[in-house]
Amino acid sequence: MNALPLSLPTSVSNGHIPVMLTEVLEALKPADGNAILDCTFGGGGYTTAILNAADCTVWAIDRDPDAIVRGNILAKAFAEASGKPRLHMLHGSFGTMRDLTQQAEAPAFDGIVLDLGVSSFQLDEAERGFSFKQDGPLDMRMARTGRTAADVVNTASEAELADIFHFYGEERHARRVARAIVADRVETPFTTTAQLAGLIRRVVPSDRSGIDSATRSFQGLRIAVNDELGEIERGLEQALYLLAPGGRLVVVSFHSLEDRIAKRVLGNATGKSQSFSRYDPRAAMTKADDAPFVALTGKPVRPGDAECSANPRARSARLRAVAKRPTDVSFSGKGLNP
């Protein structure tokens, strides 16, 4: 290393805790001279650890303009410490990573990481309107552009709302929630998170697990507002394309909808499932032994008990990883596919 390891500046970190950091670094294996792509910069936890782990260069993507500001602060700190630029921030969605990285004239990547969870900054800032735990405007837009959650709740039909809560939130009482929203919005449109959460808690029975009754419906609405599942599908396919030979793709998901897509796309790339990819149609005709990618994980890797106790948001995390041939398959995480 040409510079001493840096920690996140206080103005950047703000209590941000990257999930499964040890496992991510172990699977990614950053080395001196590598080019790494962090597709979900967020609070910069992964990026900082990667830059400290090796004398490499990171390109980081985020569609949230607040994250870009945080990233530019971090980029300046690393440049001053090492005497050269080591972090390049790219403003946009990771579903367009191919265009973003080509415009930035980035090389093929030796490692790519995607943390598919919503940013802690977005959850913790009431004014962003993501959380049912704090009252704020009913917004939920990661990029701060386009339709807000309030727009969806106040204009979508009862059937559309029911589908959002059912398919994206996996809410068993989706129709009941949608019906109540449509009835209430006639007199008073929804404008705040507390207003919507209050209605959901009124019509959805308490969960024996202790999970807030509003959790699933808020998840579904957030996914719909940001087209999160479409972004994941597009992003994973493009990430496979952008890897250099031997490059590694590490994906951390936080709920079954995300993990299902990751399992299917990565399974297709490694010859474990047969579905078409427009970025690599050969995958539909190959078997595991001659697939263009090799699995580094069999079953998804889970966070340890200590991490889950220290950071409850890690409890649902799942890590999957693949490498582009030719490559070694060394990775000692649970679920290793030797």
Side-chain angles (χ1 to χ4, degrees):
M1 291 286 296
N2 293 330
L4 292 174
L6 295 178
S7 60
L8 281 163
T10 302
S11 57
V12 176
S13 60
N14 196 30
H16 174 72
I17 305 174
V19 172
M20 297 185 72
L21 180 58
T22 299
E23 294 85 350
V24 166
L25 290 176
E26 184 184 351
L28 200 60
K29 291 191 179 300
D32 291 354
N34 278 180
I36 308 291
L37 179 62
D38 182 351
C39 298
T40 48
F41 177 80
Y46 288 159
T47 287
T48 300
I50 291 166
L51 290 170
N52 282 332
D55 188 11
C56 57
T57 304
V58 172
W59 280 257
I61 297 173
D62 209 295
R63 56 176 162 176
D64 188 336
D66 291 354
I68 298 300
V69 172
R70 292 192 293 269
N72 287 333
I73 294 172
L74 190 62
K76 182 179 179 181
F78 270 100
E80 290 176 348
S82 61
K84 61 182 179 180
R86 297 187 59 209
L87 171 58
H88 306 278
M89 296 301 301
L90 306 177
H91 187 196
S93 63
F94 64 72
T96 62
M97 68 174 74
R98 188 175 178 180
D99 289 340
L100 289 173
T101 56
Q102 286 179 347
Q103 291 167 8
E105 299 183 346
F109 292 102
D110 302 292
I112 299 177
V113 59
L114 289 96
D115 173 355
L116 302 178
V118 63
S119 167
S120 297
F121 284 89
Q122 293 165 344
L123 285 174
D124 293 339
E125 295 174 0
E127 63 271 18
R128 298 302 302 272
F130 283 90
S131 178
F132 49 79
K133 295 180 179 179
Q134 306 177 73
D135 192 17
L138 193 55
D139 192 318
M140 297 192 184
R141 297 171 300 171
M142 292 180 177
R144 294 186 181 271
T145 61
R147 289 194 311 168
T148 66
D151 292 331
V152 175
V153 167
N154 290 315
T155 63
S157 68
E158 180 178 327
E160 290 171 328
L161 289 172
D163 283 347
I164 287 172
F165 300 137
H166 173 70
F167 291 109
Y168 296 158
E170 299 179 297
E171 173 54 69
R172 291 177 298 167
H173 304 284
R175 292 188 181 280
R176 185 184 301 178
V177 175
R179 190 180 308 118
I181 287 173
V182 171
D184 280 23
R185 75 187 186 190
V186 172
E187 183 174 341
T188 306
F190 288 85
T191 59
T192 70
T193 55
Q195 183 185 4
L196 178 60
L199 175 140
I200 296 170
R201 291 170 185 142
R202 191 180 78 225
V203 301
V204 175
S206 298
D207 195 302
R208 291 181 180 179
S209 67
I211 296 175
D212 193 291
S213 299
T215 301
R216 288 179 287 271
S217 294
F218 265 64
Q219 172 186 295
L221 187 56
R222 189 200 77 224
I223 289 174
V225 167
N226 296 288
D227 186 26
E228 291 181 35
L229 301 187
E231 282 290 297
I232 293 170
E233 186 95 34
R234 293 185 291 271
L236 288 176
E237 291 184 338
Q238 292 175 53
L240 293 171
Y241 172 87
L242 293 172
L243 281 176
R248 292 168 169 239
L249 171 60
V250 181
V251 183
V252 179
S253 60
F254 288 85
H255 57 73
S256 60
L257 298 176
E258 295 173 343
D259 187 56
R260 202 172 298 151
I261 296 173
K263 180 180 180 180
R264 174 172 51 80
V265 174
L266 300 188
N268 177 40
T270 57
K272 291 186 176 181
S273 61
Q274 302 298 308
S275 60
F276 180 76
S277 165
R278 67 179 180 274
Y279 287 101
D280 192 358
R282 296 172 300 169
M285 302 178 287
T286 55
K287 296 181 180 180
D289 289 344
D290 57 359
F293 296 86
V294 59
L296 300 178
T297 54
K299 294 181 179 180
V301 179
R302 300 288 304 278
D305 293 339
E307 178 175 7
C308 292
S309 296
N311 181 16
R313 287 178 180 169
R315 288 177 298 188
S316 61
R318 307 283 189 279
L319 183 152
R320 296 181 184 272
V322 300
K324 189 170 185 177
R325 295 183 191 270
T327 185
D328 70 271
V329 293
S330 57
F331 175 45
S332 61
K334 292 177 292 181
L336 171 65
N337 184 20

